[in-house]
Amino acid sequence: MATLVKDVQLPKKIPKLLLAKHTAFIAAYGKNKDDYMYCMTEHLRMSGIYWGLTALDLMGNLDETNKDEVLEFIGKCQSDCGGISPSINHDPHLLYTLSAVQVLCMYDALDVIDVDKVVKYVKERMQPDGSFTGDNWGEVDTRFSFCAVATLSLLGKLDEINVEKAVEFVKSCMNFDGGFGSRPGSESHAGLIYCCLGLLSITGHLHLVDADRLGWWLCERQLPSGGLNGRPEKLPDVCYSWWVLSSLTILGKLHWIDKNKLLEFVLACQDTETGGFSDRPGDMVDPFHTLFGLTAVSLLEADSKLKPINPTYCMPEYIIERLGIKPTKLER
């Protein structure tokens, strides 16, 4: 008996890209400091700032936010140990350290933090086997490997760690299907594949990947609706339009999926009244999915009004060029 593929139904009418409404949605998000969702997401605040500002920058509207307020907040979130926390008086973590550095690079304002202390914090997260812990509590994950390497490369300090050891650990997380998991032996997952490919792209080690095998696995993430999931038997989600598409772009395999059907799915996830993107059509919108909806459209080159996005760093391409960073990609 054939199994049913988990998927969603798209609305009959697919809206165009609603850039003005998305700008208004992001610009208004967080202005009401007493809003329930704003208070409940305090533990993600730094990443939320990165998602929102990157989305605005892609749309050419970075000036819609208060730059001085953002920079002051980031400065207050750096701990004595050098790491940066998601919000004031929270514990530092590599995830939020990278988000903060990305925002500061966007504003060309790295002088807001003590860069040497950030480098020291990242170096201290590296373990003897080349893995990284996210914070002082010891959890190891390839997401943290990417955060560490991306942070140092943006700061021009990648030579401060043993890059070969970091690459060796990521290689040990490669699976028989060509994908990568969070640790050796863990299940392949599109988000973690992006992190591992991103690290290999930054360090110039993409030759270690079986591009055809991994590209095929990534293409199999596309469902009849056009949307992409993160692993087999899961529903599609707009965020995987980024994790999968960026990975395929790094591998030179973007042409292996149906771009038009994916674009329809992404556009169907917009809220035509409030602006913003949700994970699936009809769900609640948020800044996280709004960024990754926009980055997907940018990678698909489906709207000339959006700035090009760098597939390795998830930052506007002009910033990476300004910093003189040249992550590698495989040829088509």
Side-chain angles (χ1 to χ4, degrees):
M1 181 182 294
T3 57
L4 294 175
V5 177
K6 292 182 178 180
D7 204 357
V8 297
Q9 286 288 118
L10 300 190
K12 291 182 179 179
K13 186 177 180 180
I14 307 295
K16 63 180 182 180
L17 185 61
L18 308 170
L19 291 180
K21 290 194 173 185
H22 299 323
T23 296
F25 170 73
I26 292 293
Y29 198 88
K31 285 188 175 178
N32 180 4
K33 300 297 191 288
D34 294 324
D35 180 75
Y36 175 77
M37 285 307 298
Y38 182 84
C39 295
M40 290 302 292
T41 55
E42 183 180 5
H43 64 293
L44 298 171
R45 185 79 69 242
M46 190 64 70
S47 290
I49 291 172
Y50 156 71
W51 300 329
L53 294 184
T54 304
L56 287 174
D57 199 1
L58 285 177
M59 295 186 287
N61 292 308
L62 187 57
D63 57 356
E64 290 286 333
T65 56
N66 187 324
K67 174 182 175 180
D68 293 337
E69 183 180 333
V70 170
L71 296 183
E72 181 183 1
F73 176 79
I74 292 176
K76 290 180 177 179
C77 287
Q78 184 170 28
S79 302
D80 291 339
C81 66
I84 298 172
S85 58
S87 195
I88 299 168
N89 296 324
H90 285 237
D91 291 335
H93 196 286
L94 279 180
L95 289 170
Y96 310 112
T97 301
L98 173 58
S99 292
V101 168
Q102 288 172 307
V103 171
L104 294 177
C105 287
M106 203 177 306
Y107 280 132
D108 195 16
L110 285 171
D111 58 330
V112 167
I113 56 172
D114 186 325
V115 169
D116 290 338
K117 280 190 172 183
V118 171
V119 173
K120 178 176 178 291
Y121 177 77
V122 175
K123 287 174 64 176
E124 289 173 349
R125 306 277 70 72
M126 192 172 195
Q127 306 303 299
D129 64 353
S131 65
F132 284 82
T133 60
D135 55 20
N136 292 333
W137 305 109
E139 181 187 7
V140 168
D141 193 302
T142 47
R143 290 178 300 156
F144 310 149
S145 294
F146 172 75
C147 290
V149 167
T151 297
L152 293 178
S153 66
L154 289 171
L155 296 175
K157 301 287 186 178
L158 192 53
D159 58 353
E160 292 283 340
I161 60 167
N162 186 332
V163 171
E164 292 300 322
K165 268 289 185 185
V167 169
E168 187 180 314
F169 175 74
V170 164
K171 185 181 177 182
S172 73
C173 298
M174 189 186 301
N175 293 319
F176 72 93
D177 54 18
F180 296 84
S182 60
R183 302 168 79 164
S186 296
E187 176 187 11
S188 293
H189 185 284
L192 298 167
I193 288 169
Y194 161 77
C195 290
C196 292
L197 283 181
L199 183 147
L200 297 176
S201 169
I202 293 169
T203 60
H205 286 78
L206 287 174
H207 60 278
L208 298 175
V209 177
D210 185 334
D212 287 346
R213 181 176 295 184
L214 177 51
W216 180 254
W217 188 92
L218 290 166
C219 289
E220 286 189 320
R221 305 282 59 77
Q222 188 162 35
L223 298 169
S225 66
L228 299 165
N229 62 19
R231 52 198 170 107
E233 299 304 317
K234 296 295 182 181
L235 287 170
D237 186 320
V238 157
C239 71
Y240 294 111
S241 303
W242 167 256
W243 311 122
V244 174
L245 272 194
S246 59
S247 297
L248 287 171
T249 302
I250 292 170
L251 293 172
K253 309 290 186 186
L254 186 58
H255 59 294
W256 279 18
I257 63 163
D258 189 325
K259 297 181 183 180
N260 291 329
K261 291 199 71 173
L262 175 58
L263 182 61
E264 283 191 354
F265 173 82
V266 172
L267 294 179
C269 294
Q270 300 175 103
D271 189 312
T272 57
E273 295 182 7
T274 66
F277 288 78
S278 57
D279 57 351
R280 286 177 280 279
D283 286 354
M284 183 72 73
V285 298
D286 59 69
F288 175 83
H289 289 96
T290 299
L291 170 61
F292 294 126
L294 292 170
T295 56
V297 176
S298 177
L299 281 180
L300 292 169
E301 299 180 340
D303 193 297
S304 60
K305 297 184 184 70
L306 284 178
K307 295 177 183 178
I309 188 80
N310 183 276
T312 298
Y313 289 91
C314 196
M315 297 169 66
E317 191 70 64
Y318 79 91
I319 299 173
I320 303 305
E321 292 175 356
R322 187 184 70 206
L323 292 171
I325 302 172
K326 295 182 179 179
T328 58
K329 290 194 294 186
L330 297 179
E331 294 298 321
R332 175 169 172 171

